[in-house]
Amino acid sequence: MTKKENFLKGFIKENPIFVFLLGMCPALAVTATFETSLGMGLLVIFVLTSSNVAISLLKKYIPEEVRTPSYIVIIATFVTVVKMLTEAYALPLYTALGVFIPLIVVNCLILGRAEAFASKNNVVDSAIDGVGMGLGFTFALIVIGVFREMMATGSIVYGEYLKFFVDAPITLFSLDWIIGLFTNNFSITEISLGMFSLPPGAFIALAFILAFMQFRKHKRVQREIEEKKRMIEEKKKAALAKKAAAATLQKAGAN
Amino acid sequence: MLDKLKTAVVLVIIGGLSGLLIYFVNDLTEQIIIDNRIAIEEGYYMDILGIDDDVKIDVEKIDLDGAVDQEVVIRELVSNDLIGIIYRSTDSNNYGTVTVLVGIFPDGTIADVIISNTSNTPTFVSTIKKEYIGNFKEQEITNYSIDSKTGATFTYTSVVTVVENAAAKFAESWGE
């Protein structure tokens, strides 16, 4: 596997949430808005990359029988670090994510990558895997977060929890802008589905997204099967044509 | 034997490195976190006593030894009129700690009770905040009733303990 493939695999092909269904706890709990999804994603990227690097560095020295507890201690250390940094420098995000920051320790994705990748590969590849998988995880959280926030409020807001680059919350996108092109007497908030910001909305949103992903996958597999069938048919036709040509040639030679 | 010793040494080294990293980050962030918590608490003062944002206040904090950690005396800046007193105290229970602010008006009425910081289970804390803690509001500090069944016994017991301590301190300092 090249470094580029290693980096990109986490986005679609081996996406932790949409393909492996790992880290579902934060995927359901903190994706009520785009911003909390992005915040959790950034924290996971930090923890995943740091723990992958540390485990890759220490893998030769960690005895087999205490492998998992050692990995947990390393991951817990980085989670504690990230918790303290968030509480100090991004307090609104810390308040919004609450108990789900310490719970990163038990995120299956992080221990999974430590076991499956970092403990078997070198530091550079482990770091690339950590960043790639972390970005894939963040991408999935953002997809769910954007879907839920759009359904619940009709807009995407930035600056309420993550105050980097902005002084006050700004609306990144609102369906009202599009609706405003056609009519002035309608606001998306009138039909917004508040349920999507609540826990049942998380399950329903994830179900819609996974169903869409499965639909795409099914289509792709069907297309591949069709393509294979077509190629086999073409090969058969070519072989028959070749056979017929050979028979004609043989006949002509005999005459 | 040697293998076990090696395992122990590796674990000690991992634990030591983890501790060192946490120590340095704690050193870097400790003061900022304390300042953040103080800022949050000061934001609560206005909510507890129902003070409008345009009213300028004078905040006098007195650190106490005993059951109550801090007494905060809030006065109007211009007239120096006493608006209220807030008692801050932390109680420990089986699930961790609960820091509670108890606001009392000068006439002895409870202005509000707020959980400002806690390590207790969020679901239980949320239940207490939503359904029970508001019942203290507008009761006399010398004669208030409490809900005996809450479904979140530890957190609520801590809140009640802090309110009791605040009541005792208020009676001692401002009783007459």
Side-chain angles (χ1 to χ4, degrees), chain A residues 186-213:
Chain A
F186 183 77
S187 169
I188 188 67
T189 48
E190 289 171 15
I191 57 147
S192 61
L193 304 164
M195 177 197 69
F196 277 93
S197 64
L198 301 171
F203 283 95
I204 293 167
L206 188 65
F208 275 128
I209 294 165
L210 287 180
F212 176 72
M213 298 282 289

Side-chain angles (χ1 to χ4, degrees), chain B residues 137-170:
Chain B
K137 221 170 172 176
E138 292 172 8
Q139 292 200 64
E140 287 295 315
I141 194 72
T142 49
N143 180 28
Y144 58 87
S145 61
I146 55 169
D147 294 286
S148 54
K149 286 183 182 175
T150 63
T153 319
F154 286 107
T155 310
Y156 193 63
T157 304
S158 291
V159 173
V160 170
T161 305
V162 172
V163 175
E164 279 170 2
N165 292 338
K169 190 70 199 168
F170 180 80

Side-chain angles (χ1 to χ4, degrees), chain A residues 58 61-63 65-66 70 73-74 77-78 80-81 84-85 87-89 91 99, chain B residues 6-7 10-11 14-15 17-18 21-22 25-26 28-29 32-33 36-37 40 122:
Chain A
L58 296 168
Y61 309 103
I62 298 174
E65 63 268 31
V66 290
S70 305
V73 170
I74 292 168
T77 304
F78 288 111
T80 309
V81 166
M84 289 193 285
L85 290 172
E87 191 175 0
Y89 300 108
L91 189 63
V99 76
Chain B
K6 188 193 160 199
T7 304
V10 169
L11 289 178
I14 290 174
L17 289 174
S18 298
L21 183 61
I22 291 170
V25 177
N26 182 52
L28 178 77
T29 57
I32 304 168
I33 290 172
N36 280 344
R37 286 180 184 170
I40 289 174

